């Protein structure tokens, strides 16, 4: 993991491999952002002019490297764009700082240490820069670096080092002796380390990550962080009547699991339940996915990874709230034992579900977990899932949908997501779409109308939420796994989508800000 330090050094005296500064678009050209004054002075006040000559525009995420002048102790200056200069008396947007720091950290892959002299007027700014840098420095290298016995040792070492993430982020101007700045840095480390743990899980190939091994990871983390973990294996699921989990998982040699993680605080007055879809690989089952749609389906457990990471982060932050995580884990495979279209499953709730499409499996495992979570009567439930392609069609690849049985709660979750830099959009649950799931055979079918399919899935889940419990559903099918080129602090592959939203929701609930 990349280390974070609050440096007492100034930009002119820091010894590191590189120094990161911010630039922005002003009314009359490039503007050097606060934090870079000493660097600008080393360039005789002409840093902006030099950068403009090199083609820099100050656009968000734009990175320009240039040799450092003799007045600095670093060999390289990295100028990163912050977008438009904020209006008078306004600060740089936290998400702009987060993305800029992430872009710079990615550009410094292979470096040992870099100083970040971006605007950090407040502890919140410092936290945003720290988050962006630590998330941007992420790299999934667990399956790389295999030894080539024919290559010289020096060549192998240099090649592998170049792939490694930036080793240390030194935050400049962040007032290391100030309690608020220290707390912001500690929070950034805890949250980003858990986001990166979620990313690792999402990126792990399905031959190594399956329900049993995922449950083992959760159990080990529980022991490390004082979280009580309970794992229901196949026998326990059969005994408990968890027909949704069993129905989805019965086609695989890797049996399903339901994992409960419980973080408790002795002074907690509120309880938040988080439920995550954990399909460790989704072939579609008998309703097999077409060619070209299988290769990234290791990411179908991103919801469970987000829930797991959020519970561990809550524990590490010592939040004054009880947070329970439910990981609904199964592998959806076709075989002679697999559930068939037309089969009827007897769910944990007592309801029966006619399975019309085995590729609509996420809602089946979530239904059992939602019912079980509801039994403990939490103050609120939030489920997170890569649930529908329809949500991607509606909102694109970077925005997740938010549905809820409570309009005020939906608004709060949406606003929290936007605040922490996770793009989201409130979506409705139209009652008229429920009729499409009527079944002549069972209480409900797992499919309804094709149009509005993401909303239909939300309506299905709502059927399994306990009466009187505020519930929100986050469909992260778009932003959970990024297949394009990295940008900002977002890597290629698993992103850890929704973790920051869940953690901030837990913080707000603990503080009593949500009623």
């Amino acid at each position: 993991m990349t280390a974070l330090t609050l440096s007492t050094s100034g930009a002119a005296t820091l010894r590191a491999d590189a120094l990161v500064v911010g630039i922005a678009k002003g009314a009359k050209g490039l503007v050097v952002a606060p934090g870079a004054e000493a660097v600008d002075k080393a360039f005789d006040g002409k840093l902006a002019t030099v950068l403009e000559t090199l083609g820099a525009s100050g656009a968000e995420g734009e990175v320009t490297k240039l040799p450092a002048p003799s007045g600095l102790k670093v060999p390289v200056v990295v100028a990163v764009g912050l977008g438009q200069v904020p209006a008078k008396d306004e600060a740089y947007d936290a998400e702009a700082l987060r993305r800029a720091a992430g872009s710079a950290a990615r550009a410094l892959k292979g470096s040992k240490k870099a100083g970040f002299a971006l605007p950090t007027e407040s502890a919140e700014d410092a936290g945003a820069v720290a988050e962006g840098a630590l998330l941007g420095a992420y790299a999934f290298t667990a399956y790389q670096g295999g030894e080539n016995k024919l290559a010289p040792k020096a060549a192998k070492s240099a090649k592998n080092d170049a792939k490694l993430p930036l080793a240390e982020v030194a935050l400049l101007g962040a007032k290391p002796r100030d309690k608020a700045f220290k707390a912001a840095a500690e929070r950034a480390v805890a949250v980003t380390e858990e986001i990166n743990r979620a990313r690792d899980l999402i990126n792990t190939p399905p031959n190594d990550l399956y329900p049993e091994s995922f449950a083992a990871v959760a159990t080990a983390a529980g022991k490390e962080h004082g979280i009580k973990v309970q794992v229901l294996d196949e026998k326990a699921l059969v005994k408990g009547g968890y027909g949704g989990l069993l129905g989805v998982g019965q086609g695989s040699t890797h049996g399903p699991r339901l994992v409960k993680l419980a973080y408790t605080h002795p002074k907690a007055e509120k309880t938040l339940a988080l439920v995550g879809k954990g399909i460790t690989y989704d072939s579609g089952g008998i309703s097999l996915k077409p060619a070209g749609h299988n290769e990234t389906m290791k990411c179908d457990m991103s919801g469970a990874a987000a829930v797991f990471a959020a519970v561990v982060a809550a524990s590490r932050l010592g939040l004054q709230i009880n947070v329970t995580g439910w990981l609904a884990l199964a592998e959806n495979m076709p075989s002679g034992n697999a559930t068939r279209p037309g089969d009827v499953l007897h769910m944990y709730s007592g309801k029966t579900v006619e399975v019309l499409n085995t590729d609509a499996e996420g809602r089946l495992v979530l239904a059992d977990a939602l019912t079980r979570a509801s039994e403990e009567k939490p103050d609120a439930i939030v489920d997170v899932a890569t649930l529908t392609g329809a949500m991607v069609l509606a909102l694109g690849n970077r925005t997740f949908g938010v549905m809820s049985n409570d309009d005020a709660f939906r608004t709060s979750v949406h606003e929290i997501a936007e605040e922490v830099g996770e793009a989201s959009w409130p979506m409705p649950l139209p009652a008229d779409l429920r009729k499409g799931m009527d079944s002549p055979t069972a209480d409900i079918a797992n499919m309804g109308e094709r149009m509005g399919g993401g909303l239909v899935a939300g309506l299905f889940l709502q059927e399994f939420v306990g009466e009187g419990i505020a519930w929100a559903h986050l469909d992260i099918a778009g932003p959970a796994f990024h297949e394009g080129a990295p940008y900002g602090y977002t890597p290629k592959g698993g992103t850890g989508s929704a973790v920051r939203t869940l953690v901030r929701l837990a913080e707000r609930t603990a503080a009593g800000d949500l009623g």
Side-chain angles (χ1 to χ4, degrees):
M1 294 296 298
T2 301
L4 175 71
T5 58
L6 299 184
S7 179
T8 55
S9 299
T13 58
L14 178 75
R15 294 184 182 277
D17 296 319
L19 184 62
V20 178
V21 298
I23 54 174
K25 296 179 178 181
K28 298 180 180 180
L30 278 187
V31 174
V32 177
E37 292 85 357
V39 178
D40 191 30
K41 183 178 179 180
F43 278 91
D44 295 326
K46 297 179 181 178
L47 176 58
T49 302
V50 172
L51 288 167
E52 283 183 329
T53 302
L54 293 173
S57 68
E60 278 198 19
E62 178 189 73
V63 174
T64 306
K65 293 183 179 181
L66 64 165
S70 58
L72 302 177
K73 302 293 184 183
V74 296
V76 177
V77 170
V78 178
V80 61
L82 293 166
Q84 207 68 36
V85 173
K88 188 178 180 180
D89 299 328
E90 290 186 12
Y92 282 90
D93 177 70
E95 181 62 6
L97 293 174
R98 205 177 279 118
R99 290 177 180 174
S103 296
R106 286 192 298 103
L108 290 166
K109 183 170 61 174
S111 300
K112 297 295 183 184
K113 180 179 179 180
F116 282 68
L118 295 172
T120 52
E121 296 296 317
S122 66
E124 290 74 18
D125 291 343
V129 172
E131 278 186 11
L134 295 173
L135 292 174
Y138 172 81
F140 184 66
T141 59
Y143 292 81
Q144 298 175 357
E147 185 173 339
N148 180 354
K149 295 181 180 179
L150 299 178
K153 288 186 177 181
K156 288 187 298 178
S157 176
K159 181 179 178 181
N160 292 339
D161 284 350
K163 293 181 179 180
L164 295 176
L166 172 63
E168 182 183 347
V169 171
L171 213 57
L172 277 62
K175 303 177 184 177
R177 294 180 181 84
D178 185 290
K179 289 184 179 180
F181 279 82
K182 286 178 67 176
E186 290 168 359
R187 181 189 183 280
V189 169
V191 174
T192 57
E193 283 186 354
E194 295 313 317
I195 291 173
N196 287 338
R197 191 208 297 256
R199 289 171 168 181
D200 282 347
L201 287 168
I202 297 164
N203 290 327
T204 299
N207 57 317
D208 283 344
L209 189 75
Y210 42 88
E212 184 180 2
S213 62
F214 195 154
V217 170
T219 299
K223 290 179 180 178
E224 180 182 357
H225 296 288
I227 299 168
K228 186 177 180 181
V229 180
Q230 178 186 11
V231 179
L232 299 186
D233 61 12
E234 289 167 279
K235 290 183 178 179
L237 293 173
V238 170
K239 185 178 180 180
Y242 292 86
L245 276 156
L246 291 165
V248 173
Q250 69 188 44
S252 174
T253 56
H254 297 298
R257 297 288 188 275
L258 179 61
V259 179
K260 175 187 177 183
L261 302 99
Y263 160 69
T264 58
H265 190 284
K267 296 182 179 180
E269 296 181 355
K270 297 280 188 177
T271 297
L272 178 64
L274 308 176
V275 177
K277 173 187 172 183
I279 303 299
T280 56
Y281 182 75
D282 182 19
S283 69
I286 296 298
S287 304
L288 194 66
K289 292 180 183 292
H293 289 72
N294 291 287
E295 291 78 6
T296 60
M297 282 299 102
K298 64 182 180 180
C299 79
D300 214 16
M301 37 59 68
S302 296
V307 165
F308 168 53
V311 175
V312 176
S315 176
R316 291 181 61 173
L317 295 172
L319 302 185
Q320 194 169 311
I321 184 177
N322 297 328
V323 183
T324 303
W326 300 88
L327 314 183
L329 308 177
E331 187 177 65
N332 187 24
M333 296 290 286
S335 75
N337 293 324
T339 292
R340 296 152 290 225
D343 283 355
V344 174
L345 304 180
H346 294 262
M347 309 295 284
Y348 179 73
S349 68
K351 292 183 179 180
T352 55
V353 176
E354 182 181 11
V355 179
L356 299 181
N357 187 327
T358 63
D359 196 24
E361 84 299 329
R363 65 198 72 184
L364 298 174
V365 300
L366 286 172
D368 275 352
L370 285 168
T371 303
R372 179 64 187 87
S374 296
E375 288 181 341
E376 299 190 355
K377 301 190 182 304
D379 293 287
I381 299 176
V382 179
D383 77 72
V384 188
T386 47
L387 205 59
T388 65
M391 196 56 57
V392 185
L393 290 173
L395 299 178
N397 289 315
R398 298 189 182 185
T399 303
F400 62 74
V402 183
M403 285 156 263
S404 180
N405 60 1
D406 182 305
D407 288 348
F409 188 51
R410 181 186 62 187
T411 298
S412 293
V413 173
H414 167 60
E415 290 176 348
I416 285 170
E418 294 293 311
E419 176 191 333
V420 299
E422 295 198 299
S424 70
W425 196 253
M427 303 291 281
L429 289 173
D432 62 285
L433 291 178
R434 170 60 181 84
K435 185 171 179 58
M437 290 184 284
D438 286 348
S439 166
T441 306
D443 295 323
I444 189 173
N446 77 327
M447 292 291 288
E449 294 182 31
R450 181 169 176 267
M451 299 302 171
L455 312 182
V456 170
L459 286 165
F460 180 91
L461 295 178
Q462 185 176 226
E463 298 269 332
F464 298 88
V465 177
E467 188 175 352
I469 301 174
W471 156 79
H473 161 55
L474 311 185
D475 190 336
I476 62 169
F481 196 84
H482 180 56
E483 296 186 64
Y487 64 93
Y489 52 81
T490 301
K492 186 179 180 68
T495 64
S497 176
V499 176
R500 284 180 288 153
T501 297
L502 297 179
V503 173
R504 183 58 57 86
L505 175 63
E507 290 173 326
R508 288 286 186 83
T509 305
D513 291 347
L514 296 180

